[in-house]
Amino acid sequence: MISMYDGDFRFKGVYPALVTPFDENGVNEEQYRGLIDYTIKAGATGVVPCGTTGEFTSMKFDEKVEAIRIACEATKGRVPVLAGTGAASTADAVKLTRRAEELGAAGVLVVSPYFLKPSTKEIYEHFEKVANSTELPVFVYNIPQVTGVPLHWTMIDGLREIDGIAGLKDSSGDLINLTTILVRKPNEFQVMVGHDEVALPALASGCDGAILASANVFPDRYIRMQTALSEGDLKNARIIQRSIQKIVRIFVNRGGGLAVKAALNMIGVPVGHARKPLQEGDSLGYGDIDEIRVCLEDLQMIPRGPVTFKMGNRSIVAEEYPRAVGMVPDSIDDLTLLHGEALFGAGSEVAHIDLVLGIRDGPMSEALDRAGKIDEGVHPSNLIKDLELTTVFAPTVTITSEGHKTMVYEVAQKAVVDAVRRTITDRILPEELVPDLVLAVNAFVHPSAVNPKRVHINNFIAVRHAIRRALEGRQSTEEIISRKESARHPFAYNQ
Amino acid sequence: MPALVTPFTRDGDIDEEGFKQVIDYTISKGVTGVVPAGTTGEFSYMRTEERKKLLKLTVDFVDGRVPIVAGTGQHSTKATVELTKYAADLGCDAALVISPYYLRPADKGYFEHYATVAREGGLPVIMYNIPQCTLGVLNTNVVEDLAEIDNVIGIKDSSGNVPYILELIQKLNGKIEVLIGADECFLSAVVAGSNAAIMASANVIPHIWLDIMKLAKAGKIEEAAEKQAQAQTFARMVLKYGAAPPVKAALKMMGIRAGRSRMPLNSGGTLTPEIKDEIRLELEKMGVIEPKKVPPVQDHIDITQALTQQGLKVESSELRSGSASNGTVSVGIAAGPKTGSLGKAFVKLLTTPKIGHEALTVILEPNLPVRPSSLMFPLRQIRSMRQASLFYGPVQSGAARAVASFLEKGSISQDAQTDHVMIMALDIDLNSLNRREIVASAQEAVEGALAQVWR
């Protein structure tokens, strides 16, 4: 086994696959530099401009050059730049690789050619050509979920021996293929994991480091994971992976850079929006955005600060409100009647919540009027017992069986209780305001729902989101108008 | 030919009388043969002894009226040969043999399996490719080799993979028959040269498929395409929701004792109540069952009155209201300040939902409600999940788009967006089939009413 790269570059630690902040003129240099500074301060040992998370396919050639230039300048003397220079066509990949070399990149990351699916021979020659065009170490990049071109370990066996090919970034998440690559490679061939959800098993199996979308947000966690692994502390490494598993699942599966940008914006690292056709509310759903936010709250990355609740001439301040940047108003001016809606989950276990919240002596008093009473032809509503916040629960679905009844009045109702309590411990509802408020929650549970755990989780999440949306006035009127044509109601289509 | 369903009783036994009814119905509709113990017949849930009994029943009930193609495929070659011999002894006319699944062979294994069954089974063999269940594909070159063998007379392809079936038709070039098993592609396959079909939906609408075949063979492609389009939704639902459960549900709606499916397919998870209702409407559309009469939509909805009927008192003087109807959708709308009587009505409507008239938030899609806070409820009682999906689907979508277009035009002030609430009462034929049309009609009607509210 031989490797044909004999240079000095050694990949260490974790590099973020940088998102690319855009403005109307192209790359937003100020925000890009801000992001690079943030990631280095947070522990990144290098950066990758123009990766998949950087939306490289949505950038013009000159914009990619610009992004690589900024990255090289901004990191100068601090950490190396591994520039994404891959392209569907060989000529473009070669051209950008040369530019990256001139600009001072330490290496290049070259994605397998995609869309028009080349044969083994053509893939091989593509990488050979790129490697021959530069003195920089070339890293092969395998991400079949978007390229449609999986790089099998048998192919890596050969690519590895091309002069100048220094390593591989594997974002496939396919641990079978990756493990085979790792056990077959010589030491000098550097392999990085690129799939956030399997960072722990990949690093434990012998990857040299990681290039990750989520390393834009918390590179330090991966550094700590690697340190733990190198010390044989598997337990701690597992704890770290567990702490981020949910948020990285959203990042990886719900839009990549689009989702990472939403997270960065929330924690106060402004990076703007993804380029069309990627947009919030689409592959990254509104529910995902709210979940990213609560995950970041759990990771203590969302700034907390005061939000004033006003009732007539009284005001109460929630001092430690989790103020995800751009999502939370300074004050909630009118507590007469706030209205929120949320759907979460899919299939039979889906949760759909409508809720209203307001001061006790306003229209919300109506909710208490019939609670707990049986009226002919009406879904019975009830006041939930032993809950600090006065809460009325009513189903919006006709109960069809005993099992369905349990799912609604026990499972979903318990989820409401848990979500309300959580909202208070989230420090969203100030405790001194709680006695003055009434909440009414309408829940829909499908008659075919069978998995109580999932019904609970979905309803818990939906209630938590709906309360926040009611208070914070989401989605905005601008959002409603901009989605008027493209919104897709799931039941509005024929079978 | 129908891939006959196997009716099971509540206890899981074969319902012989029900099976006879299905056979008699399909023969009365002109089928050119029947296929017991196919995929739709739930063969995979039946032991060999039961399958033998089912074949025997088929022979008895058909009584020579049409040919019988017996489903005799098993996991192992030996068992397949034995069951095929049994079918031959009973007097079946051919065997439909599924490609072995779960423990799947490769090309050689498939070849030897079919060659052995053809040689030793004593019946003409129709191969059966259904990769969505078996997870294995009969490669066309294996099929070409098998076509050379005496007694291999056809292949049934249920993959729905049009390039694949075209490749079969081209390469086999009439040497053996290519039977279509994907209901949705029926006409396409017939036009391409297929002369026969074994399909799940042929339990229910064999006459329609026979008509299409006749029209296509007579060169009347447009008429054939029109008929296929009529049956397309039903065919799609049959395949999408597990074949046996929707076919059995359809037959039962027609008064044929098609019985139940076996566990784990019988719990209503594959075939949900709303899909069952969709099937009923499709059967009505195809003229297989009589449509139910429904009253026309109201031509004018007075929202104050509609709210009163729901037990909600509102002060008309506080409200801005409007109404509109276009024959498909009729709507009455009220808007008013949260602090007034409409705010109270809003809370009451949400917290004391009337069964079948539940009020839900007006949303463009889930997680995207409109402003001001708006509720909508149906005047006509919702009696099923399918009707609910129509009201809280296309009607909701159209209503939300109407509100969004008023927001876009700037007709609703910033203050009104936060200080007001809206309630809409709508009437619509809840059995409507064309959801796209309803979105448009609902949007038009709600815009008409909103124009009176937000002048």
Side-chain angles (χ1 to χ4, degrees):
Chain A
M1 291 193 204
I2 47 165
S3 174
M4 295 303 288
Y5 172 67
D6 52 8
D8 297 331
F9 181 82
R10 285 286 169 276
F11 191 99
K12 269 210 212 75
V14 61
Y15 294 16
L18 293 170
V19 298
T20 314
F22 296 111
D23 57 28
E24 54 284 2
N25 304 315
V27 179
N28 182 325
E29 179 157 356
E30 191 191 333
Q31 289 189 344
Y32 205 27
R33 285 175 178 269
L35 170 67
I36 291 168
D37 283 346
Y38 167 78
T39 58
I40 294 175
K41 278 193 198 114
T45 52
V47 296
V48 178
C50 300
T52 304
T53 310
E55 300 169 68
F56 81 91
T57 52
S58 295
M59 296 164 75
K60 285 185 282 193
F61 185 84
D62 290 344
E63 290 174 331
K64 287 189 261 193
V65 171
E66 181 70 353
I68 295 168
R69 175 192 68 78
I70 298 167
C72 290
E73 284 178 21
T75 54
K76 197 122 212 148
R78 291 194 283 175
V79 298
V81 172
L82 183 62
T85 59
S89 86
T90 310
D92 280 355
V94 166
K95 206 167 139 198
L96 192 57
T97 298
R98 288 193 177 135
R99 293 290 286 137
E101 187 166 10
E102 290 161 21
L103 290 165
V108 290
L109 180 64
V110 178
V111 72
S112 64
Y114 53 91
F115 189 71
L116 295 177
K117 299 196 180 72
S119 66
T120 306
K121 173 172 164 28
E122 287 149 341
I123 293 169
Y124 192 87
E125 287 172 359
H126 175 85
F127 283 111
E128 200 170 43
K129 202 96 183 200
V130 175
N132 287 342
S133 73
T134 179
E135 294 300 313
L136 294 181
V138 172
F139 288 82
V140 174
Y141 179 15
N142 182 35
I143 180 165
Q145 45 289 49
V146 293
T147 60
V149 180
L151 298 179
H152 194 249
W153 59 264
T154 49
M155 164 83 87
I156 301 298
D157 272 353
L159 291 177
R160 209 171 60 205
E161 301 200 352
I162 294 173
D163 196 6
I165 300 265
L168 166 76
K169 175 190 177 191
D170 181 54
S171 297
S172 68
D174 176 355
L175 290 175
I176 300 169
N177 195 48
L178 178 59
T179 305
T180 309
I181 290 167
L182 289 170
V183 300
R184 292 176 68 83
K185 77 180 185 70
N187 266 335
E188 311 84 79
F189 189 73
Q190 305 167 46
V191 178
M192 288 85 84
V193 59
H195 194 301
D196 314 53
E197 290 179 76
V198 298
L200 172 63
L203 290 169
S205 303
C207 282
D208 297 276
I211 300 173
L212 300 169
S214 60
N216 280 282
V217 186
F218 37 71
D220 50 321
R221 300 222 166 218
Y222 296 103
I223 299 291
R224 276 166 35 216
M225 186 190 292
Q226 265 184 315
T227 307
L229 284 171
S230 68
E231 290 166 354
D233 185 356
L234 190 56
K235 187 174 164 215
N236 239 325
R238 279 186 190 144
I239 289 170
I240 295 166
Q241 181 77 43
R242 192 182 308 155
S243 74
I244 56 172
Q245 196 70 12
K246 178 168 174 176
I247 191 168
V248 303
R249 182 163 67 237
I250 302 173
F251 287 157
V252 171
N253 298 294
R254 302 302 177 103
L258 172 68
V260 173
K261 281 183 168 174
L264 286 165
N265 287 325
M266 281 180 213
I267 64 173
V269 180
V271 289
H273 295 289
R275 278 194 167 164
K276 292 278 174 73
L278 297 184
Q279 54 185 315
E280 294 182 358
D282 190 31
S283 47
L284 178 70
Y286 299 110
D288 298 323
I289 295 171
D290 278 300
E291 278 306 278
I292 287 176
R293 176 183 172 191
V294 300
C295 287
L296 291 169
E297 285 172 25
D298 290 345
L299 295 171
Q300 304 191 338
M301 298 185 77
I302 295 286
R304 287 180 179 268
V307 169
T308 308
F309 287 70
K310 293 181 183 160
M311 291 189 297
N313 42 20
R314 253 179 94 196
S315 39
I316 292 174
V317 180
E319 296 286 355
E320 300 274 299
Y321 197 103
R323 298 194 56 168
V325 178
M327 293 175 86
V328 181
D330 294 335
S331 67
I332 294 156
D333 294 328
D334 182 4
L335 291 176
T336 306
L337 181 61
L338 298 167
H339 178 210
E341 179 263 354
L343 176 140
F344 200 85
S348 300
E349 274 71 35
V350 71
H352 199 179
I353 295 293
D354 284 326
L355 59 79
V356 278
L357 172 70
I359 39 172
R360 197 174 273 275
D361 53 7
M364 284 309 297
S365 61
E366 293 290 317
L368 299 172
D369 187 35
R370 298 305 304 166
K373 305 196 174 74
I374 305 291
D375 292 315
E376 182 77 23
V378 173
H379 298 289
S381 65
N382 59 282
L383 197 61
I384 299 180
K385 286 198 192 81
D386 302 326
L387 185 58
E388 304 73 36
L389 177 65
T390 304
T391 302
V392 175
F393 176 83
T396 47
V397 58
T398 302
I399 303 294
T400 57
S401 66
E402 274 305 307
H404 190 207
K405 190 174 173 184
T406 308
M407 220 51 109
V408 172
Y409 286 100
E410 290 178 27
V411 181
Q413 184 164 318
K414 174 71 166 52
V416 173
V417 170
D418 294 343
V420 169
R421 292 214 166 112
R422 185 60 193 262
T423 304
I424 296 169
T425 58
D426 281 340
R427 285 171 283 173
I428 282 183
L429 284 179
E431 276 179 49
E432 54 174 315
L433 185 62
V434 167
D436 297 322
L437 291 177
V438 174
L439 171 72
V441 179
N442 279 32
F444 170 87
V445 179
H446 196 280
S448 302
V450 73
N451 177 345
K453 181 72 186 172
R454 205 62 236 173
V455 170
H456 179 270
I457 291 172
N458 289 340
N459 276 280
F460 171 79
I461 292 173
V463 173
R464 205 174 173 198
H465 290 181
I467 294 175
R468 287 165 175 238
R469 290 175 191 171
L471 292 170
E472 295 163 7
R474 283 181 291 124
Q475 309 309 325
S476 69
T477 302
E478 296 70 48
E479 188 73 17
I480 296 164
I481 293 169
S482 71
R483 302 290 183 254
K484 186 187 133 221
E485 302 296 332
S486 62
R488 305 182 60 73
H489 196 301
F491 301 132
Y493 300 89
N494 292 313
Q495 273 293 322
Chain B
M1 284 182 256
L4 292 171
V5 291
T6 310
F8 294 108
T9 65
R10 190 169 286 276
D11 300 329
D13 302 324
I14 297 171
D15 179 347
E16 298 185 14
E17 166 56 25
F19 192 49
K20 182 167 186 302
Q21 284 186 16
V22 176
I23 289 173
D24 287 346
Y25 167 74
T26 55
I27 293 177
S28 79
K29 289 291 179 184
V31 299
T32 53
V34 294
V35 183
T39 302
T40 310
E42 297 171 67
F43 83 87
S44 57
Y45 296 164
M46 292 163 74
R47 284 172 290 114
T48 303
E49 288 315 306
E50 288 182 293
R51 288 174 68 176
K52 286 182 176 171
K53 180 181 165 193
L54 188 75
L55 296 182
K56 176 87 173 57
L57 289 172
T58 312
V59 172
D60 290 349
F61 293 152
V62 169
D63 197 20
R65 286 180 287 175
V66 294
I68 297 169
V69 178
T72 61
Q74 303 257 42
H75 290 283
S76 84
T77 306
K78 190 170 165 226
T80 307
V81 168
E82 278 170 18
L83 191 55
T84 307
K85 274 186 185 159
Y86 180 85
D89 291 344
L90 282 177
C92 293
D93 300 276
L96 177 67
V97 179
I98 193 159
S99 67
Y101 59 97
Y102 199 87
L103 296 178
R104 296 193 304 277
D107 289 349
K108 283 194 203 90
Y110 286 131
F111 180 87
E112 285 185 17
H113 181 77
Y114 283 111
T116 308
V117 177
R119 199 168 54 238
E120 298 173 15
L123 276 183
V125 169
I126 300 171
M127 299 173 276
Y128 183 10
N129 183 52
I130 180 167
Q132 57 272 51
C133 297
T134 61
L135 310 186
V137 178
L138 292 175
N139 286 320
T140 55
N141 51 19
V142 178
V143 177
E144 275 189 285
D145 283 342
L146 284 163
E148 305 283 340
I149 295 174
D150 287 345
N151 245 3
V152 172
I153 59 160
I155 175 164
K156 172 187 174 185
D157 174 47
S158 295
S159 69
N161 179 341
V162 172
Y164 173 82
I165 201 168
L166 293 181
E167 188 177 338
L168 282 179
I169 290 170
Q170 180 218 355
K171 287 187 172 167
L172 295 169
N173 194 23
K175 190 163 186 70
I176 61 171
E177 194 55 56
V178 177
L179 295 90
I180 176 76
D183 316 41
E184 293 166 81
C185 306
F186 177 75
L187 174 60
S188 318
V190 169
V191 170
S194 174
N195 297 302
I198 299 174
M199 301 191 300
S201 63
N203 281 281
V204 183
I205 49 165
H207 51 293
I208 295 181
W209 298 123
L210 287 164
D211 281 354
I212 293 172
M213 169 104 54
K214 213 191 290 168
L215 288 166
K217 295 290 176 195
K220 297 178 179 168
I221 301 298
E222 273 180 33
E223 285 169 64
E226 211 171 288
K227 279 199 177 263
Q228 170 87 37
Q230 277 283 311
Q232 198 71 18
T233 306
F234 178 64
R236 186 162 56 241
M237 286 198 292
V238 163
L239 297 195
K240 193 166 162 191
Y241 300 108
V247 167
K248 286 180 172 179
L251 287 168
K252 281 191 273 190
M253 290 171 199
M254 296 155 62
I256 295 159
R257 206 163 112 184
R260 301 160 67 90
S261 287
R262 276 194 169 166
M263 274 277 275
L265 259 195
N266 71 346
S267 68
T270 313
L271 182 68
T272 58
E274 49 268 51
I275 299 304
K276 228 185 216 176
D277 287 340
E278 291 287 352
I279 286 173
R280 179 185 300 281
L281 295 168
E282 286 301 318
L283 295 179
E284 289 176 4
K285 186 186 85 186
M286 295 185 296
V288 183
I289 57 176
E290 275 295 308
K292 282 191 191 132
K293 287 262 181 297
V294 289
V297 299
Q298 303 184 15
D299 28 293
H300 176 76
I301 295 172
D302 179 323
I303 184 66
T304 313
Q305 216 177 335
L307 288 169
T308 309
Q309 276 166 19
Q310 299 294 312
L312 303 165
K313 284 209 193 82
V314 288
E315 290 295 328
S316 308
S317 58
E318 296 172 5
L319 305 181
R320 298 149 165 265
S321 59
S323 82
S325 171
N326 54 25
T328 307
V329 177
S330 184
V331 61
I333 301 181
K338 285 177 175 175
T339 47
S341 59
L342 202 67
K344 288 185 176 169
F346 190 96
V347 173
K348 201 159 179 195
L349 205 49
L350 263 187
T351 51
T352 53
K354 265 199 166 180
I355 293 170
H357 300 279
E358 295 86 0
L360 287 186
T361 304
V362 179
I363 56 175
L364 275 168
E365 63 178 34
N367 302 316
L368 195 51
V370 299
R371 292 161 166 267
S373 289
S374 303
L375 294 179
M376 57 187 285
F377 68 94
L379 286 179
R380 196 172 293 218
Q381 189 175 21
I382 289 174
R383 293 178 194 278
S384 70
M385 291 297 293
R386 193 267 169 190
Q387 292 191 339
S389 81
L390 191 89
F391 192 78
Y392 307 112
V395 182
Q396 196 172 38
S397 173
R401 282 170 181 232
V403 178
S405 72
F406 272 68
L407 288 171
E408 193 174 23
K409 281 190 283 187
S411 318
I412 308 174
S413 73
Q414 286 290 341
D415 285 348
Q417 286 175 34
T418 50
D419 300 343
H420 276 55
V421 290
M422 278 203 288
I423 299 178
M424 336 184 160
L426 294 111
D427 189 30
I428 181 169
D429 172 5
L430 293 167
N431 290 336
S432 303
L433 268 181
N434 190 338
R435 291 180 183 235
R436 292 195 77 80
E437 187 185 299
I438 292 170
V439 173
S441 298
Q443 181 170 353
E444 184 197 72
V446 173
E447 280 179 1
L450 286 173
Q452 297 154 33
V453 175
W454 306 106
R455 281 180 231 255

